[in-house]
Amino acid sequence: MRLLLVEDDDHVAAALSAVLGRHGFAVVHARNGEEALQALLPDHDEPFAVVLLDLGLPDQDGFEVCGRIRRIRAVPVIMVTARADVRSRIHGLNLGADDYVVKPYDTGELLARIHAVSRRGTPGPAEPRVEESGPDDALRLGAVTVELPTRQVSVDGTAVPLTRKEFDLLALLAQRPGVVFRREQIISEVWRTSWEGTGRTLEVHIASLRAKLRMPALIETVRGCRLYTSPSPRDAHES
């Protein structure tokens, strides 16, 4: 499995590459954003399965690099950074990152997250992913419309751009309105993993969805439990 490591610190990159190599990864090291973008051009027989992206790069901010990657490739991106604040997490996920890991991290956790995002399948050129569903397969929760075939979401007719994981999370909840989901169940369905470290990523995605849709009550948290539920269409309309 080929992995692109975008890291400007050679010592950090060498140590991490050695660990990843022992676990079966063929690591390509890019020291800045431009090197990373050049490495992602479609001129290789085998595409990268995952990109590990540091944010503190010498030529451009990692957030900018992530946005540029999203315009050319659909490869899963994991941001690996010392920036631990929630605002940076949300910004990175909104730009299209599939996960966000804060330094210092446990190597086992990082490996689990790499395997989790790579399970989506072999990446290719960036393009909208279409679900196998009928032309009228649209979910409506009051003012919110979720179109499964085109992966489009709108509120009162106005399109709301979501990341892949945000859409997958919303679609899961919207297909069973009023049903309470366990946190572990959501992580299993959306992230295809049981790794408990993904819980923080779930919370960030929930907060981002509430903010983007401008409906804080659309996804409810069951008090005293780490459970989430989507409201009935009537509740969504009134929120």
Side-chain angles (χ1 to χ4, degrees):
M1 184 185 298
R2 297 180 76 236
L3 182 147
L4 178 61
L5 173 61
V6 189
E7 169 63 64
D8 65 317
D9 189 318
D10 288 340
H11 295 291
V12 171
L16 184 54
S17 295
V19 172
L20 293 171
R22 289 196 296 270
H23 285 83
F25 292 96
V27 181
V28 174
H29 177 207
R31 293 173 175 79
N32 55 55
E34 284 303 322
E35 284 187 16
L37 294 167
Q38 288 297 316
L40 286 166
L41 293 178
D43 56 357
H44 297 287
D45 294 333
E46 181 185 357
F48 289 104
V50 179
V51 175
L52 294 183
L53 176 62
D54 184 33
L55 295 183
L57 300 174
D59 59 338
Q60 54 192 299
D61 190 82
F63 287 133
E64 180 182 348
V65 176
C66 182
R68 294 177 66 184
I69 289 174
R70 277 289 157 260
R71 290 194 288 271
I72 62 173
R73 304 293 288 176
V75 57
V77 175
I78 300 177
M79 290 184 172
V80 184
T81 176
R83 302 181 195 178
D85 60 288
V86 174
R87 181 174 297 181
S88 293
R89 290 175 182 264
I90 292 176
H91 185 48
L93 295 169
N94 285 344
L95 286 172
D98 295 84
D99 206 343
Y100 192 105
V101 178
V102 177
K103 299 176 181 179
Y105 50 79
D106 179 82
T107 303
E109 177 183 356
L110 179 63
L111 287 166
R113 290 173 181 260
I114 292 171
H115 286 296
V117 300
S118 66
R119 289 193 191 105
R120 287 198 340 230
T122 303
E127 57 180 320
R129 189 173 67 184
V130 179
E131 303 289 345
E132 295 182 359
S133 46
D136 298 324
D137 198 359
L139 306 173
R140 293 178 177 82
L141 293 171
V144 180
T145 300
V146 181
E147 299 178 14
L148 298 180
T150 59
R151 297 179 65 83
Q152 300 295 313
V153 175
S154 61
V155 177
D156 285 327
T158 301
V160 179
L162 300 180
T163 67
R164 286 189 301 276
K165 290 302 182 186
E166 287 170 351
F167 180 89
D168 292 343
L169 174 57
L170 179 61
L172 173 67
L173 298 176
Q175 289 179 81
R176 301 179 68 186
V179 173
V180 177
F181 288 83
R182 290 182 297 106
R183 182 165 152 269
E184 294 78 7
Q185 182 181 0
I186 297 175
I187 292 172
S188 176
E189 291 288 337
V190 177
W191 278 269
R192 303 295 180 185
T193 180
S194 60
W195 185 256
E196 53 188 39
T198 311
R200 182 56 180 163
T201 300
L202 170 60
E203 293 168 4
V204 172
H205 277 75
I206 293 287
S208 181
L209 272 177
R210 287 168 172 160
K212 285 187 174 183
L213 298 174
R214 298 184 179 181
M215 292 183 174
L218 184 66
I219 302 173
E220 301 176 13
T221 303
V222 178
R223 296 299 179 189
C225 304
R226 290 184 174 178
L227 306 174
Y228 297 93
T229 177
S230 58
S232 66
R234 177 180 59 83
D235 293 336
H237 181 73
E238 293 175 354
S239 61

